[in-house]
Amino acid sequence: MRIGYGYDAHRLRAGRECVLCGVLVPCDFGPDGHSDADVPVHALMDALLGALALGDIGKWFPDSDEKWRMADSVKLLRVVYSAVVECGYTLGNADITIVLQSPRLSGHIEQMRQVLADAMESDIGRISIKATTEEKMCFTGDGTGIAAIAVVLLE
Ligand code: MG
């Protein structure tokens, strides 16, 4: 078994689409970035890569490369997960925490879990997504940004 940990944070910007775990969350702001800036998926990919010491998403999908502009991060996740399978591993489980002051994500969590399960050809029961706030503290609390943490176990 191998364990992996990933972290990501992005600035929030007015008018950007808010795509989290492949789900469009209705909101008048969203994470800014070169790709679709799907912060929890970025953290998840880094956890998968980290578990097998395969580098990080900056190495796999450099933001200096125009090819990845507005890239669908769930498609990138499929690429990363293919590498995991090629190394002889499958997902044991993933546990993701999204840190965001607003909007509330509870109504979207099940769909997010299904999107990630589909992308990793896994069972929804192996994928946990939690949302929390930092009680109006720090950059997530004042609406400057969004963060996500992911832990994975590969078997
Ligand atoms: Mg990122």
Side-chain angles (χ1 to χ4, degrees):
M1 288 196 292
R2 305 282 294 227
I3 191 167
Y5 167 85
Y7 172 82
D8 194 26
H10 281 244
R11 187 174 288 276
L12 292 171
R13 189 157 65 85
R16 281 275 301 196
E17 279 192 343
C18 188
V19 178
L20 302 176
C21 296
V23 175
L24 180 62
V25 176
C27 191
D28 55 9
F29 54 84
D32 201 7
H34 185 71
S35 68
D36 62 3
D38 191 330
V39 180
V41 173
H42 290 186
L44 176 60
M45 289 193 283
D46 264 351
L48 292 167
L49 293 170
L52 297 175
L54 293 175
D56 58 38
I57 57 170
K59 175 182 151 190
W60 279 60
F61 312 109
D63 63 9
S64 54
D65 191 337
E66 279 305 308
K67 193 170 156 187
W68 309 120
R69 182 171 293 281
M70 295 313 291
D72 175 350
S73 293
V74 173
K75 284 188 184 159
L76 306 185
L77 172 61
R78 288 178 186 273
V79 172
V80 167
Y81 192 70
S82 295
V84 168
V85 172
E86 271 172 35
C87 288
Y89 287 86
T90 57
L91 182 72
N93 71 299
D95 189 12
I96 300 167
T97 301
I98 303 170
V99 188
L100 179 68
Q101 188 63 40
S102 71
R104 288 186 70 87
L105 301 179
S106 52
H108 304 284
I109 296 288
E110 291 309 300
Q111 194 187 350
M112 292 175 178
R113 292 173 68 209
Q114 192 62 59
V115 168
L116 299 189
D118 291 346
M120 296 187 286
E121 292 156 5
S122 184
D123 190 274
I124 193 169
R126 293 177 182 269
I127 295 160
S128 160
I129 301 175
K130 312 185 300 289
T132 190
T133 74
E134 289 186 302
E135 298 279 345
K136 299 192 173 170
M137 298 181 290
C138 306
F139 70 85
T140 69
D142 67 12
T144 304
I146 173 175
I149 300 107
V151 175
V152 300
L153 196 69
L154 302 182
E155 299 170 335

